[in-house]
Amino acid sequence: MTKWYLRATLLVALLLLAACQRGMDPVAFHADGRPPQLSDWHVVEVRGNKLVLNQGVVPYDLNTPLFTDYAHKLRTIWMPKGTSAKYNPTDTFDFPVGTVITKTFYYPKTSSGKFTDVARTYDSSRDFAGEGLDLSNVHLIETRVLVRRESGWAAIPYVWKDDQSDAQLARTGAVIPLTLVDDKDAREDFNYVVPDESQCASCHAQDWVSRKVHPIGPKARHINRDYHYASGTENELEHLMKVGYLTGAPAPDQAPRNANWADQRASLDARARAYLDINCGHCHNPNGAANTTALTLDLTAPEDRHLGICKPPVAAGRGTGDHFFDIVPGSPDDSIVTYRMSSADPGEMMPELGRSTVHREGVALIKAWIAAQSGGCVAIH
């Protein structure tokens, strides 16, 4: 391949990117209030048949993502010029005032042509148009905005219009009837629930005393991974450092890294702990909303009663499924954790928010992890 061809290809890519961004106003930091349209932020906007990212908006992904009814997600970060986040090896980075983080939830379309039919698939190969999304192949559902203001972080939900032209403010949330369709045409009707502002805050309040909202995903262990940027594949920590959005990060091989829950090359323990960390750890940690349960599911928990091994539940009720312990080594079907993960009943399921369906593959992972543990528990009657 000649240098001339590479230069020509790069030039075409840059021209296409500029064309996508042409006509977009600069990203707007709203220091207060709740703008009525997602487009008021100018972070991501529909241009033609694509959802495009504005200049300076950086996409990212997580090693193991939070499960949300099989939805796919496009995550972005933007910061005001001349500002950057400070690296933290364990907690959320210290982001400057003016930071805008977005997460757009969407599904690949199915061949049925029905607007409410969405694909139950992990295949994202047809989702993207550059760093944005190809609207001929995907159905946008909602975009959540986290904005860092002088008073702290604010969570603002937006729901996409049926015509996919823009997303509207949904302070009280929304319920959207959808049908998951898998590659064998099996169908599952469910209600996709967009959380209201208070529900957003309940998950993002890492400290239940102060109840201040913080981002969950932008932590070193979650984003220490490669991403396919328009400029090429690069480690996310290194890329954020290069564009000036992060300071103080070590080399990726010196930073913590969670496993990809679906990567069979990683150990079963690493995959299961990463899954519990992102799906449960934001509440089940010593300072979180579920700290009164004495069940710790983030990566700080040693593999003993803190992690639920042979630990009786603090509160009885039907959420236990008449089981005696959170985790019974070797016996996933006797464990409260997998019982609650396997339920879609609002009075039983865990997590309590963020899903209306059961993550079958996630349940299978945690069951396999518990089944591989040795030992047992003695029930006290």
Side-chain angles (χ1 to χ4, degrees), residues 350-365:
M350 280 289 174
E352 294 177 316
L353 300 173
R355 69 174 178 92
S356 298
T357 61
V358 174
H359 188 198
R360 304 171 201 173
E361 298 83 358
V363 172
L365 170 65

Side-chain angles (χ1 to χ4, degrees), residues 97-115:
V97 171
T99 301
V100 180
I101 296 175
T102 74
K103 183 161 61 171
T104 297
F105 297 70
Y106 66 93
Y107 289 92
K109 294 179 178 179
T110 70
S111 59
S112 74
K114 288 186 178 180
F115 190 69

Side-chain angles (χ1 to χ4, degrees), residues 61-64 216-225 236 256-258 274 277-278:
D61 208 348
L62 310 184
N63 282 312
T64 290
I216 295 172
K219 297 176 182 176
R221 64 183 181 271
H222 297 318
I223 66 172
N224 186 4
R225 50 159 288 156
E236 292 180 6
R257 185 196 302 260
N258 267 14
D277 184 36
I278 192 65

Side-chain angles (χ1 to χ4, degrees), residues 46 115 135 138-141 160-166:
V46 172
F115 190 69
L135 299 187
V138 304
H139 174 184
L140 306 175
I141 303 295
W160 282 89
K161 299 177 183 178
D162 288 349
D163 66 6
Q164 305 280 273
S165 62
D166 203 350

Side-chain angles (χ1 to χ4, degrees), residues 8-260:
T9 302
L10 179 60
L11 178 60
V12 169
L14 291 172
L15 288 173
L16 287 172
L17 181 63
C20 286
Q21 294 174 347
R22 190 178 299 128
M24 291 181 72
D25 292 335
V27 173
F29 163 57
H30 296 273
D32 52 34
R34 303 292 191 271
Q37 308 287 339
L38 178 65
S39 58
D40 293 328
W41 296 89
H42 306 298
V43 175
V44 293
E45 293 185 24
V46 172
R47 286 289 182 271
N49 204 33
K50 295 179 175 63
L51 182 72
V52 300
L53 280 57
N54 208 342
Q55 190 168 4
V57 176
V58 176
Y60 69 99
D61 208 348
L62 310 184
N63 282 312
T64 290
L66 178 74
F67 173 74
T68 311
D69 292 327
Y70 293 96
H72 295 200
K73 300 165 187 177
L74 171 65
R75 301 169 176 85
T76 72
I77 296 177
W78 176 86
M79 297 179 206
K81 188 174 182 179
T83 66
S84 60
K86 295 178 182 177
Y87 177 81
N88 187 304
T90 57
D91 296 326
T92 302
F93 300 154
D94 183 8
F95 288 96
V97 171
T99 301
V100 180
I101 296 175
T102 74
K103 183 161 61 171
T104 297
F105 297 70
Y106 66 93
Y107 289 92
K109 294 179 178 179
T110 70
S111 59
S112 74
K114 288 186 178 180
F115 190 69
T116 55
D117 282 359
V118 294
R120 178 184 174 274
T121 179
Y122 293 108
D123 182 6
S124 61
S125 61
R126 299 176 66 247
D127 295 0
F128 293 92
E131 291 175 339
L133 297 175
D134 185 346
L135 299 187
S136 63
N137 295 327
V138 304
H139 174 184
L140 306 175
I141 303 295
E142 61 160 323
T143 296
R144 303 176 192 175
V145 172
L146 273 176
V147 54
R148 177 69 168 87
R149 292 168 167 167
E150 288 285 355
S151 58
W153 289 94
I156 310 174
Y158 293 85
V159 174
W160 282 89
K161 299 177 183 178
D162 288 349
D163 66 6
Q164 305 280 273
S165 62
D166 203 350
Q168 297 175 303
L169 179 65
R171 296 189 67 174
T172 58
V175 177
I176 305 170
L178 295 173
T179 300
L180 284 168
V181 184
D182 69 14
D183 57 1
K184 296 181 180 178
D185 208 34
R187 303 170 66 84
E188 179 182 359
D189 297 332
F190 74 105
N191 287 324
Y192 182 99
V193 178
V194 178
D196 61 35
E197 286 187 356
S198 64
Q199 290 172 322
C200 290
S202 69
C203 284
H204 283 273
Q206 296 181 19
D207 186 328
W208 205 239
V209 176
S210 67
R211 303 205 177 188
K212 290 184 177 180
V213 170
H214 293 275
I216 295 172
K219 297 176 182 176
R221 64 183 181 271
H222 297 318
I223 66 172
N224 186 4
R225 50 159 288 156
D226 288 345
Y227 192 91
H228 300 299
Y229 299 99
S231 57
T233 300
E234 191 173 6
N235 179 274
E236 292 180 6
L237 292 175
E238 288 186 325
H239 186 78
L240 291 173
M241 289 277 287
K242 185 172 75 173
V243 301
Y245 277 5
L246 182 63
T247 60
D253 62 357
Q254 299 299 311
R257 185 196 302 260
N258 267 14
N260 176 343

